[in-house]
PDB file of all heavy atoms in Angstrom:
ATOM      1  N   LYS O 189       4.394   1.790  -8.304  1.00 84.00           N
ATOM      2  CA  LYS O 189       4.266   1.046  -9.553  1.00 84.00           C
ATOM      3  C   LYS O 189       4.469  -0.451  -9.307  1.00 84.00           C
ATOM      4  O   LYS O 189       3.770  -1.294  -9.893  1.00 84.00           O
ATOM      5  CB  LYS O 189       5.272   1.550 -10.582  1.00 84.00           C
ATOM      6  CG  LYS O 189       5.118   0.921 -11.964  1.00 84.00           C
ATOM      7  CD  LYS O 189       6.087   1.523 -12.950  1.00 84.00           C
ATOM      8  CE  LYS O 189       5.859   0.954 -14.342  1.00 84.00           C
ATOM      9  NZ  LYS O 189       5.954  -0.508 -14.390  1.00 84.00           N
ATOM     10  N   ASP O 190       5.441  -0.784  -8.439  1.00 87.00           N
ATOM     11  CA  ASP O 190       5.666  -2.202  -8.115  1.00 87.00           C
ATOM     12  C   ASP O 190       4.432  -2.811  -7.455  1.00 87.00           C
ATOM     13  O   ASP O 190       4.042  -3.952  -7.769  1.00 87.00           O
ATOM     14  CB  ASP O 190       6.878  -2.346  -7.201  1.00 87.00           C
ATOM     15  CG  ASP O 190       8.175  -1.957  -7.896  1.00 87.00           C
ATOM     16  OD1 ASP O 190       8.196  -1.964  -9.146  1.00 87.00           O
ATOM     17  OD2 ASP O 190       9.158  -1.635  -7.209  1.00 87.00           O
ATOM     18  N   LEU O 191       3.820  -2.072  -6.531  1.00 84.00           N
ATOM     19  CA  LEU O 191       2.616  -2.578  -5.863  1.00 84.00           C
ATOM     20  C   LEU O 191       1.475  -2.763  -6.865  1.00 84.00           C
ATOM     21  O   LEU O 191       0.751  -3.767  -6.819  1.00 84.00           O
ATOM     22  CB  LEU O 191       2.195  -1.616  -4.754  1.00 84.00           C
ATOM     23  CG  LEU O 191       3.067  -1.601  -3.493  1.00 84.00           C
ATOM     24  CD1 LEU O 191       2.636  -0.480  -2.558  1.00 84.00           C
ATOM     25  CD2 LEU O 191       3.029  -2.930  -2.775  1.00 84.00           C
ATOM     26  N   THR O 192       1.322  -1.797  -7.766  1.00 84.00           N
ATOM     27  CA  THR O 192       0.265  -1.913  -8.776  1.00 84.00           C
ATOM     28  C   THR O 192       0.503  -3.120  -9.677  1.00 84.00           C
ATOM     29  O   THR O 192      -0.418  -3.888  -9.981  1.00 84.00           O
ATOM     30  CB  THR O 192       0.200  -0.633  -9.610  1.00 84.00           C
ATOM     31  OG1 THR O 192      -0.004   0.493  -8.743  1.00 84.00           O
ATOM     32  CG2 THR O 192      -0.942  -0.698 -10.609  1.00 84.00           C
ATOM     33  N   ASP O 193       1.759  -3.300 -10.107  1.00 87.00           N
ATOM     34  CA  ASP O 193       2.083  -4.451 -10.967  1.00 87.00           C
ATOM     35  C   ASP O 193       1.845  -5.768 -10.235  1.00 87.00           C
ATOM     36  O   ASP O 193       1.365  -6.745 -10.838  1.00 87.00           O
ATOM     37  CB  ASP O 193       3.539  -4.359 -11.428  1.00 87.00           C
ATOM     38  CG  ASP O 193       3.770  -3.188 -12.375  1.00 87.00           C
ATOM     39  OD1 ASP O 193       2.784  -2.679 -12.933  1.00 87.00           O
ATOM     40  OD2 ASP O 193       4.937  -2.771 -12.540  1.00 87.00           O
ATOM     41  N   ASN O 194       2.175  -5.821  -8.948  1.00 88.00           N
ATOM     42  CA  ASN O 194       1.962  -7.059  -8.192  1.00 88.00           C
ATOM     43  C   ASN O 194       0.474  -7.367  -8.023  1.00 88.00           C
ATOM     44  O   ASN O 194       0.056  -8.541  -8.097  1.00 88.00           O
ATOM     45  CB  ASN O 194       2.629  -6.949  -6.815  1.00 88.00           C
ATOM     46  CG  ASN O 194       4.141  -7.016  -6.895  1.00 88.00           C
ATOM     47  OD1 ASN O 194       4.699  -7.623  -7.805  1.00 88.00           O
ATOM     48  ND2 ASN O 194       4.822  -6.376  -5.965  1.00 88.00           N
ATOM     49  N   VAL O 195      -0.326  -6.341  -7.801  1.00 85.00           N
ATOM     50  CA  VAL O 195      -1.777  -6.550  -7.699  1.00 85.00           C
ATOM     51  C   VAL O 195      -2.328  -7.066  -9.025  1.00 85.00           C
ATOM     52  O   VAL O 195      -3.142  -8.000  -9.071  1.00 85.00           O
ATOM     53  CB  VAL O 195      -2.478  -5.248  -7.278  1.00 85.00           C
ATOM     54  CG1 VAL O 195      -3.987  -5.370  -7.433  1.00 85.00           C
ATOM     55  CG2 VAL O 195      -2.141  -4.907  -5.831  1.00 85.00           C
ATOM     56  N   ASN O 196      -1.878  -6.463 -10.126  1.00 87.00           N
ATOM     57  CA  ASN O 196      -2.337  -6.913 -11.445  1.00 87.00           C
ATOM     58  C   ASN O 196      -1.862  -8.332 -11.744  1.00 87.00           C
ATOM     59  O   ASN O 196      -2.598  -9.122 -12.350  1.00 87.00           O
ATOM     60  CB  ASN O 196      -1.835  -5.953 -12.519  1.00 87.00           C
ATOM     61  CG  ASN O 196      -2.544  -4.607 -12.465  1.00 87.00           C
ATOM     62  OD1 ASN O 196      -3.655  -4.513 -11.954  1.00 87.00           O
ATOM     63  ND2 ASN O 196      -1.911  -3.581 -12.975  1.00 87.00           N
ATOM     64  N   LEU O 197      -0.635  -8.670 -11.307  1.00 87.00           N
ATOM     65  CA  LEU O 197      -0.141 -10.024 -11.512  1.00 87.00           C
ATOM     66  C   LEU O 197      -0.976 -11.032 -10.724  1.00 87.00           C
ATOM     67  O   LEU O 197      -1.326 -12.108 -11.236  1.00 87.00           O
ATOM     68  CB  LEU O 197       1.329 -10.108 -11.096  1.00 87.00           C
ATOM     69  CG  LEU O 197       1.999 -11.485 -11.207  1.00 87.00           C
ATOM     70  CD1 LEU O 197       2.013 -11.953 -12.655  1.00 87.00           C
ATOM     71  CD2 LEU O 197       3.429 -11.424 -10.653  1.00 87.00           C
ATOM     72  N   MET O 198      -1.316 -10.683  -9.481  1.00 85.00           N
ATOM     73  CA  MET O 198      -2.141 -11.562  -8.663  1.00 85.00           C
ATOM     74  C   MET O 198      -3.519 -11.757  -9.298  1.00 85.00           C
ATOM     75  O   MET O 198      -4.014 -12.886  -9.413  1.00 85.00           O
ATOM     76  CB  MET O 198      -2.302 -10.980  -7.265  1.00 85.00           C
ATOM     77  CG  MET O 198      -3.197 -11.790  -6.345  1.00 85.00           C
ATOM     78  SD  MET O 198      -3.621 -10.899  -4.833  1.00 85.00           S
ATOM     79  CE  MET O 198      -4.660  -9.598  -5.493  1.00 85.00           C
ATOM     80  N   ALA O 199      -4.120 -10.651  -9.753  1.00 85.00           N
ATOM     81  CA  ALA O 199      -5.439 -10.747 -10.379  1.00 85.00           C
ATOM     82  C   ALA O 199      -5.369 -11.560 -11.669  1.00 85.00           C
ATOM     83  O   ALA O 199      -6.257 -12.364 -11.967  1.00 85.00           O
ATOM     84  CB  ALA O 199      -5.991  -9.348 -10.660  1.00 85.00           C
ATOM     85  N   GLY O 200      -4.285 -11.366 -12.451  1.00 86.00           N
ATOM     86  CA  GLY O 200      -4.136 -12.137 -13.681  1.00 86.00           C
ATOM     87  C   GLY O 200      -3.958 -13.620 -13.423  1.00 86.00           C
ATOM     88  O   GLY O 200      -4.524 -14.459 -14.138  1.00 86.00           O
TER      89      GLY O 200
END
Side-chain angles (χ1 to χ4, degrees):
K189 186 177 184 303
D190 294 339
L191 287 173
T192 303
D193 292 342
N194 288 332
V195 169
N196 289 337
L197 178 62
M198 177 192 68

